Amino acid sequence: MPLFVSIKKTFGTFSLAVDLEAGDGAATGILGASGSGKSLTLRCIAGIHAPDEGRIALDGQVLFDSRLKVNLPPQKRRVGYMFQSYALFPNMTVEQNIGAGAPGTKAEKKRLTADYIRRFYLEGLERRYPAQLSGGQGQRVALARMLASKPRIILMDEPLSSVDGHLRWQLEKGLQDILAGFEGPSLVVSHDCGELYRLCRRVVILDRGRVDSGGDKEDLYEKPATLAGARLIGCKNISRARKLSEHEVEAVDWHEVLTTAEPVRPDIQYVGVQARAFREVGEKTFNTIKCVIDKTVDNVNNEIILSKPAGARPPDDEASIYWETPRGRRKWLAGDILLLRVEAGDILQLGP
């Protein structure tokens, strides 16, 4: 039951132009910053908003086609949509919320509702209203209601945004089981790259209303190909770059020439290095950046060393090098010289 989406939509001053596909039985994540068009994409697929042009098809059935003038209403698309706020009906009990979209006769709805109450451990809460539920209970009710409607596709918009800490981890494990057991396509929207890595098999990166890149999560997270992709997966060390030769690139903001393992891309505009990829060395060799320590920050499991390239001059003196190192190795002092080396294979080559 593959999903095919190729749409354009202008919403106020924002312009969306998205092309993506999602297959059966494997969740696809949509990663993007706030305002990148993630939620609007889901709402167009669900039929809440109509695209200005394009096509949406599910398992060969056309849900929307501007050329053919097809636009099925939401109730005919059989889309399971989980909103950020869960969007439970406030005047309905848990039992009524779950049964609201269930198909079948009155007796079949009752049996199905009871089944999902058991499956989501909601026994004893049947007569409660949404205002009487905790965040975790509300999420389980929203999931039960969505699945009880027997959807052909699941859409989840920031499903864990309203819960924190240990509860968030517990609920995430439940989502993993649900997505793994769902046979149709599923799309999960988030701005948390770690969350999508754990929940999804494929990830699409959305940037300012456009698909920036996409693919298997391992490839996308280990070797992002664009500036937006690198930033969204948490790469904090990024410099403008200029190709010098087949395996050499100038990191302009770091005032260093770096040697790459792979041939330098002809369209390279930036290089990136993950904070964990740097290691301290005692002498300057190739792929070593000489830095001056600016300050240190204690983190939960490590220490963050913020420094500036030693050769930085205005207007490039805002360029910083962000390095994560185990805590307690030694005392780091502002003004100290630091030599940080990166292996050729850990240099990210980034296009526009």
Side-chain angles (χ1 to χ4, degrees):
M1 195 184 294
L3 172 72
F4 170 83
V5 179
S6 180
I7 56 172
K8 293 182 179 180
K9 172 74 175 176
T10 300
F11 198 79
T13 60
F14 181 77
S15 176
L16 180 77
V18 168
D19 292 276
L20 63 85
E21 295 183 33
D24 292 340
T28 296
I30 301 180
L31 177 66
S34 296
S36 60
K38 306 184 301 296
S39 297
L40 182 56
T41 299
L42 293 195
R43 289 171 177 266
C44 287
I45 296 171
I48 298 171
H49 293 307
D52 298 328
E53 60 180 281
R55 189 172 189 268
I56 303 172
L58 178 61
D59 193 26
Q61 180 188 16
V62 177
L63 307 183
F64 174 85
D65 192 310
S66 57
R67 185 176 58 84
L68 298 177
K69 301 188 183 305
V70 174
N71 186 19
L72 293 186
Q75 61 269 25
K76 290 190 176 181
R77 298 192 183 197
R78 287 181 57 195
V79 170
Y81 197 134
M82 185 172 176
F83 295 85
Q84 292 183 34
S85 61
Y86 304 150
L88 298 175
F89 301 117
N91 60 333
M92 290 186 180
T93 64
V94 167
E95 186 176 47
Q96 291 168 335
N97 263 283
I98 295 173
T105 64
K106 186 175 181 180
E108 289 170 339
K109 287 175 181 283
K110 187 173 182 179
R111 284 195 299 271
L112 193 61
T113 299
D115 177 49
Y116 276 95
I117 286 173
R118 285 192 300 271
R119 287 175 60 181
F120 284 87
Y121 307 102
L122 295 167
E123 295 96 331
L125 303 177
E126 294 92 338
R127 301 293 184 268
R128 291 192 186 181
Y129 289 89
Q132 299 171 305
L133 302 175
S134 68
Q137 291 168 340
Q139 190 216 40
R140 281 183 281 148
V141 174
L143 286 169
R145 182 182 65 179
M146 178 180 68
L147 294 175
S149 68
K150 299 298 181 184
R152 295 193 297 163
I153 180 174
I154 287 177
L155 306 178
M156 293 186 178
D157 193 353
E158 302 274 7
L160 299 172
S161 62
S162 63
V163 289
D164 296 301
H166 182 63
L167 177 59
R168 184 187 182 101
W169 179 245
Q170 287 182 313
L171 296 177
E172 185 179 300
K173 289 192 293 183
L175 286 182
Q176 289 174 347
D177 294 337
I178 289 168
L179 293 171
F182 186 68
E183 295 182 354
S186 51
L187 292 177
V188 183
V189 153
S190 181
H191 62 271
D192 186 327
C193 62
E195 180 179 294
L196 290 186
Y197 190 90
R198 294 185 294 270
L199 290 174
C200 304
R201 186 180 302 171
R202 296 184 71 257
V203 175
V204 171
I205 291 178
L206 214 58
D207 180 44
R208 291 172 291 182
R210 305 293 188 273
V211 173
D212 176 84
S213 49
D216 290 340
K217 61 183 182 183
E218 289 86 0
D219 296 335
L220 204 61
Y221 281 54
E222 291 299 321
K223 292 288 185 182
T226 66
L227 176 63
R231 285 175 171 167
L232 283 169
I233 67 164
C235 181
K236 296 178 176 61
N237 298 306
I238 296 174
S239 168
R240 292 171 295 164
R242 183 171 65 91
K243 180 177 179 178
L244 299 178
S245 65
E246 186 177 5
H247 286 278
E248 283 190 327
V249 61
E250 178 187 5
V252 176
D253 299 316
W254 300 337
H255 302 272
E256 293 291 346
V257 174
L258 301 177
T259 301
T260 63
E262 298 176 355
V264 178
R265 290 170 48 174
D267 64 340
I268 191 170
Q269 290 192 14
Y270 303 89
V271 289
V273 178
Q274 294 282 24
R276 64 182 183 274
F278 281 121
R279 65 184 179 91
E280 187 185 13
V281 293
E283 60 180 357
K284 197 173 189 313
T285 59
F286 74 98
N287 286 3
T288 301
I289 303 173
K290 184 179 180 180
C291 305
V292 180
I293 295 178
D294 188 17
K295 63 179 178 179
T296 64
V297 179
D298 282 336
N299 203 9
V300 176
N301 298 314
N302 54 29
E303 195 168 7
I304 299 168
I305 312 297
L306 297 174
S307 61
K308 294 186 182 299
R313 297 288 184 274
D316 300 329
D317 60 350
E318 293 302 315
S320 293
I321 300 293
Y322 183 105
W323 177 43
E324 294 177 0
T325 183
R327 296 177 65 179
R329 289 183 58 188
R330 68 177 175 89
K331 185 69 174 178
W332 309 95
L333 298 175
D336 283 355
I337 298 297
L338 183 65
L339 298 175
L340 295 177
R341 182 180 171 188
V342 58
E343 297 297 331
D346 289 327
I347 296 172
L348 304 177
Q349 299 188 40
L350 308 173

